Amino acid sequence: MLCSGKKVVKLLDYAYGLDGLPKSEVLKFLLEDNCSIVVRPSGTEPKLKIYISVSAENIEAAEKVECEIVKDAEKWFA
C-alpha cells in the first residue's frame, strides 16, 4: 500500500492495546522516511481525527509531503 508515494511499512491497531497503552479505536500507519498517519474517531463528535507526522530535509519539503498525504487521506476517509 502506498500513501503519497511512500510505502506503508507497518500498520499498528490499538484495538486490543499496544505498547502498554490501553485498548482504543486508533490506527497508526507507519510510512517510509519516518512519516506516519494516526486515525481515530472524535470522542465528542461524529467525525474522524487524523494526525500527520512528517520528516523531511527542510520545511518546504515537509510541507509538500504533508499536502500529498492530506490529499490521499481525503480520498480514503471522505
Side-chain angles (χ1 to χ4, degrees), residues 3 6-7 12-13 16-17 20 22 25 35-36 40 42-43 46 49 62 66 68-70 76 78:
C3 176
K6 296 190 179 298
K7 183 178 178 184
L12 302 174
D13 185 348
Y16 299 103
E25 294 178 339
C35 298
S36 66
R40 70 170 184 84
S42 171
K49 302 266 185 154
E66 177 189 21
E68 292 171 2
I69 290 173
V70 168
W76 297 342

Side-chain angles (χ1 to χ4, degrees), residues 2 15-16 22 35 42 44 51 55 58-59 63 67 73-76:
L2 291 178
Y16 299 103
C35 298
S42 171
T44 58
Y51 304 89
S55 180
N58 55 51
I59 190 71
E63 287 173 345
C67 287
E74 286 174 341
K75 290 178 203 171
W76 297 342

